[in-house]
Amino acid sequence: MFNEEYFRFKELVEEHLLHFLPEVDNKSITLYESMTYSLKAGGKLLRPVLLLASCEFCGGDVKLALPYACAIEYIHTYSLIHDDLPAMDNDDLRRGIPTNHKVFGDAIAILAGDGLLNSAFEAMNKDMLLYLDDMDKLKRRVRAIYEISKGAGCRGMIAGQIADIEAENKQCTKELLDYIHVNKTAALIKSAVRAGAHLAGADKKTFQDLDEYAENLGLAFQIVDDILDINGDEEELGKKTGSDQAKKKATYPCRYGYEESKQKVWELTDNAKRAMEHYYDNAEFFVQLADELAVRIK
Amino acid sequence: MFNEEYFRFKELVEEHLLHFLPEVDNKSITLYESMTYSLKAGGKLLRPVLLLASCEFCGGDVKLALPYACAIEYIHTYSLIHDDLPAMDNDDLRRGIPTNHKVFGDAIAILAGDGLLNSAFEAMNKDMLLYLDDMDKLKRRVRAIYEISKGAGCRGMIAGQIADIEAENKQCTKELLDYIHVNKTAALIKSAVRAGAHLAGADKKTFQDLDEYAENLGLAFQIVDDILDINGDEEELGKKTGSDQAKKKATYPCRYGYEESKQKVWELTDNAKRAMEHYYDNAEFFVQLADELAVRIK
């Protein structure tokens, strides 16, 4: 049941993922190819799936939420392209295929990232033009797009990336490690859930519960990712493991060890589930998703 | 009179330029410093000035247009930071001071650029939240932000940058050269003027005239820039000259020579002025601005 639900959302996103990119002409074919190369590389599509699931949970129409779901995947993908650059993490492999700059060169990869970030906002802004005569729907969209811009920006994902770089090779305080975690990954995951709820016009209580869920899920997800970088299967992950240790990144398992990190994952997973459990069967998708993410570390 | 007008708009932008950046905490101080380093480096502020002038010309309130004016300067500045990177144009000097990556390193410069692009949309989206109960003002803002997202994106500035890179070291057709010109610089300049008109709720005829003006001005501006790269004064320009030739960039003067390029600038300048001359004194600012940009090549 959970798998079918996830697949339904994921398939919807996959079918529409290129649909909201601006139409480019034949002189920008390299730009388009480099952007879509990374978009089509697959991945779990966790953020857009969460956005759609949150929207549907709050009574919204997932089809109308697609521009926002795809936009958040454009943002996630741009961040990976820039992260992988030689000037940043210098990674050769991502989602099982060579990283963007390995195929297109650094200059095109930088512009492909810029193009995806810009396209995300272009797609969402274009969608808003469709609702100029429907004040209620327009308001929801304005709130959703602001939510995403915040989560992706200098008080969200980008703040986390800067802190991550600055913490390399340094003794990292607990406070800084938490800051990196809250911002690098959890912020955009939280934005996805909040944006979905905004699009559906969620009531305050449901919004708060989803927010609590997303915050804990996002933090758990980052620690799982860091643990898998140590003991995960490279083929399964589609990228090289051990890179955090090599770069002396500030991560939970590096600071607290495997057992304590695992315990933290389960604690956060429990918090996430608890935020949603009073919705019983209606929130089954969210509860199971939290479990599924946690069991990846076995 | 013209100078005073330009100064009035420019000063307004300067006073508010940092105001619309997201508030960052002390863990993101490097991000903030790197973004503001490039923002504070000065420059003509042509795009935000044009946005404000266009808004005022159409009867709008320039103070309310400031988030959009500043956002377009964030976008312009991010594009310069990324353009200057070693992987792109590899420039050491910009606006008379070391380029962003020379001061902060490549990784921070990439993120500072990302941060500025994201902040531009975050600022404009945040502004829209203020007008959720004023349908007319909200509509104008939705149109303005979409205009800017288009001009900055994959059918605008980024398309021009990609074509520019791909044309390096190649025999460039007239068609490709025009494409680069239309997109690399003119697109965002046009967006600035169009966004200003949208914010003021301009009528169709005025919008079209301003559009015609901006298109010609933007193209003239790019050719002037390319000519100054050959025979301009380095100190006055605040950057090294001769770099287009060194990189075998596709530019007007490289392809058509100095005299023909100069003639093209005057032709475009005349077109720009003609689009606005039937407004007589009311459009004096725009007419003089076109002349001022053209006389830079003497």
Side-chain angles (χ1 to χ4, degrees):
Chain A
M1 184 59 188
F2 165 78
N3 285 336
E4 282 159 33
E5 280 285 277
Y6 198 98
F7 184 75
R8 177 168 67 87
F9 292 132
K10 188 166 178 263
E11 197 176 40
L12 253 179
V13 176
E14 278 166 351
E15 275 169 16
H16 293 83
L17 195 53
L18 307 188
H19 184 79
F20 301 103
L21 289 177
E23 271 175 48
V24 298
D25 49 50
N26 62 2
K27 288 191 193 63
S28 301
I29 204 75
T30 310
L31 175 62
Y32 187 78
E33 277 175 359
S34 57
M35 294 196 308
T36 53
Y37 171 82
S38 292
L39 281 178
K40 290 193 285 193
K44 294 176 289 297
L45 300 178
L46 175 66
R47 291 151 194 82
V49 165
L50 273 170
L51 190 147
L52 296 183
S54 166
C55 176
E56 191 168 274
F57 179 75
C58 300
D61 182 343
V62 288
K63 289 229 172 68
L64 301 184
L66 280 168
Y68 303 82
C70 294
I72 214 163
E73 188 62 18
Y74 300 166
I75 291 174
H76 175 57
T77 304
Y78 112 76
S79 79
L80 299 181
I81 295 175
H82 282 187
D83 248 2
D84 288 337
L85 285 166
M88 307 266 282
D89 279 357
N90 196 19
D91 280 319
D92 297 346
L93 210 62
R94 164 77 70 181
R95 294 171 173 174
I97 56 172
T99 44
N100 198 291
H101 66 272
K102 280 279 154 190
V103 179
F104 296 94
D106 294 4
I108 303 289
I110 292 168
L111 289 169
D114 295 344
L116 282 169
L117 175 55
N118 202 98
S119 296
F121 287 106
E122 198 174 339
M124 293 186 285
N125 288 319
K126 190 177 178 186
D127 179 69
M128 287 201 289
L129 287 177
L130 301 174
Y131 299 95
L132 293 185
D133 293 318
D134 187 332
M135 195 64 176
D136 186 48
K137 286 211 174 91
L138 187 57
K139 276 185 188 181
R140 295 176 184 187
R141 277 158 181 78
V142 173
R143 290 193 185 105
I145 191 174
Y146 180 57
E147 202 64 71
I148 292 172
S149 74
K150 262 197 310 181
C154 301
R155 288 173 296 178
M157 187 177 69
I158 299 175
Q161 286 171 310
I162 285 270
D164 190 41
I165 287 174
E166 294 204 306
E168 274 179 33
N169 298 311
K170 271 186 207 152
Q171 185 62 31
C172 180
T173 62
K174 186 187 174 309
E175 200 198 347
L176 183 58
L177 185 57
D178 284 341
Y179 182 84
I180 293 171
H181 271 204
V182 166
N183 289 298
K184 204 174 87 171
T185 308
L188 197 61
I189 287 178
K190 206 166 138 173
S191 284
V193 172
R194 290 168 65 106
H198 276 311
L199 287 171
D203 64 83
K204 204 172 164 188
K205 174 76 177 90
T206 314
F207 191 87
Q208 281 169 346
D209 291 335
L210 280 166
D211 194 41
E212 174 80 13
Y213 169 80
E215 168 125 10
N216 283 287
L217 185 86
L219 290 170
F221 182 74
Q222 177 65 56
I223 302 177
V224 168
D225 222 47
D226 291 342
I227 291 176
L228 289 173
D229 188 75
I230 294 174
N231 68 2
D233 182 83
E234 290 196 358
E235 206 166 316
E236 211 173 286
L237 293 171
K239 61 182 177 183
K240 252 183 101 71
T241 57
S243 64
D244 289 345
Q245 259 176 316
K247 284 167 211 141
K248 297 200 174 137
K249 290 255 184 197
T251 74
Y252 251 81
C254 289
R255 187 179 165 93
Y256 297 108
Y258 176 65
E259 282 306 326
E260 204 173 322
S261 300
K262 220 170 107 172
Q263 203 180 323
K264 184 79 185 161
V265 168
W266 284 111
E267 196 183 296
L268 291 162
T269 302
D270 278 344
N271 292 347
K273 286 157 68 178
R274 202 169 308 123
M276 297 301 286
E277 65 189 7
H278 60 281
Y279 295 102
Y280 303 103
D281 286 359
N282 289 337
E284 209 190 310
F285 177 81
F286 293 100
V287 170
Q288 285 207 30
L289 177 63
D291 277 333
E292 289 287 331
L293 288 179
V295 294
R296 293 173 71 211
I297 50 170
K298 279 135 207 171
Chain B
M1 183 60 187
F2 165 77
N3 285 336
E4 282 159 33
E5 280 284 278
Y6 197 98
F7 184 74
R8 176 168 66 88
F9 292 131
K10 189 166 177 262
E11 198 176 39
L12 253 180
V13 176
E14 278 166 350
E15 276 169 15
H16 294 83
L17 195 54
L18 307 187
H19 183 79
F20 301 103
L21 289 177
E23 272 175 47
V24 297
D25 48 52
N26 62 2
K27 289 193 192 60
S28 301
I29 205 73
T30 310
L31 174 62
Y32 187 78
E33 276 174 359
S34 57
M35 295 197 308
T36 53
Y37 171 81
S38 293
L39 280 178
K40 289 193 285 193
K44 293 176 289 296
L45 300 177
L46 175 66
R47 292 151 193 82
V49 165
L50 272 170
L51 190 148
L52 296 183
S54 167
C55 176
E56 190 167 273
F57 180 74
C58 299
D61 181 342
V62 289
K63 289 229 172 70
L64 301 185
L66 279 168
Y68 302 82
C70 294
I72 214 162
E73 188 63 17
Y74 300 166
I75 291 174
H76 175 56
T77 304
Y78 112 77
S79 78
L80 299 180
I81 295 175
H82 282 187
D83 249 1
D84 289 338
L85 285 166
M88 305 268 281
D89 280 357
N90 196 19
D91 280 318
D92 297 346
L93 209 63
R94 167 75 71 182
R95 293 171 172 173
I97 56 171
T99 45
N100 198 291
H101 66 273
K102 280 277 154 192
V103 179
F104 296 94
D106 294 4
I108 303 290
I110 292 169
L111 289 168
D114 296 345
L116 282 169
L117 175 55
N118 201 98
S119 296
F121 287 106
E122 196 174 340
M124 294 187 285
N125 288 319
K126 189 177 179 186
D127 179 68
M128 288 202 290
L129 288 177
L130 302 175
Y131 299 95
L132 292 185
D133 293 317
D134 186 333
M135 195 63 174
D136 186 49
K137 287 214 174 89
L138 186 57
K139 276 185 188 181
R140 296 176 183 187
R141 278 158 179 77
V142 173
R143 291 194 184 105
I145 191 173
Y146 180 57
E147 203 64 71
I148 291 171
S149 74
K150 263 198 309 181
C154 300
R155 289 174 297 177
M157 186 177 73
I158 298 175
Q161 287 171 308
I162 284 271
D164 191 42
I165 287 175
E166 294 206 304
E168 274 179 32
N169 297 310
K170 271 186 206 152
Q171 185 62 33
C172 180
T173 62
K174 185 186 175 308
E175 200 198 346
L176 183 58
L177 185 57
D178 284 341
Y179 181 84
I180 292 171
H181 272 203
V182 167
N183 289 298
K184 203 175 89 171
T185 310
L188 197 61
I189 287 179
K190 208 166 135 173
S191 285
V193 172
R194 289 168 66 105
H198 276 311
L199 288 171
D203 63 84
K204 204 172 164 189
K205 175 75 176 90
T206 315
F207 191 87
Q208 281 169 346
D209 291 334
L210 280 167
D211 194 40
E212 174 80 12
Y213 169 80
E215 168 124 11
N216 284 286
L217 185 87
L219 290 170
F221 182 75
Q222 177 65 55
I223 302 177
V224 168
D225 222 47
D226 291 342
I227 292 176
L228 290 175
D229 188 74
I230 294 173
N231 68 3
D233 182 84
E234 290 196 358
E235 206 166 314
E236 213 172 284
L237 293 170
K239 62 182 176 184
K240 252 183 100 71
T241 59
S243 63
D244 289 343
Q245 260 175 316
K247 283 167 212 142
K248 297 199 174 138
K249 290 254 183 199
T251 74
Y252 251 81
C254 288
R255 186 177 165 94
Y256 297 108
Y258 177 64
E259 281 307 324
E260 204 173 322
S261 300
K262 218 169 111 173
Q263 204 180 324
K264 186 77 184 161
V265 168
W266 284 110
E267 197 182 296
L268 291 162
T269 303
D270 278 345
N271 292 347
K273 286 156 68 177
R274 202 168 309 122
M276 297 301 286
E277 64 189 6
H278 59 283
Y279 295 102
Y280 304 103
D281 286 0
N282 289 337
E284 209 190 311
F285 177 81
F286 293 100
V287 170
Q288 285 206 30
L289 177 63
D291 277 332
E292 289 286 331
L293 289 179
V295 295
R296 293 173 70 212
I297 50 170
K298 278 135 206 172

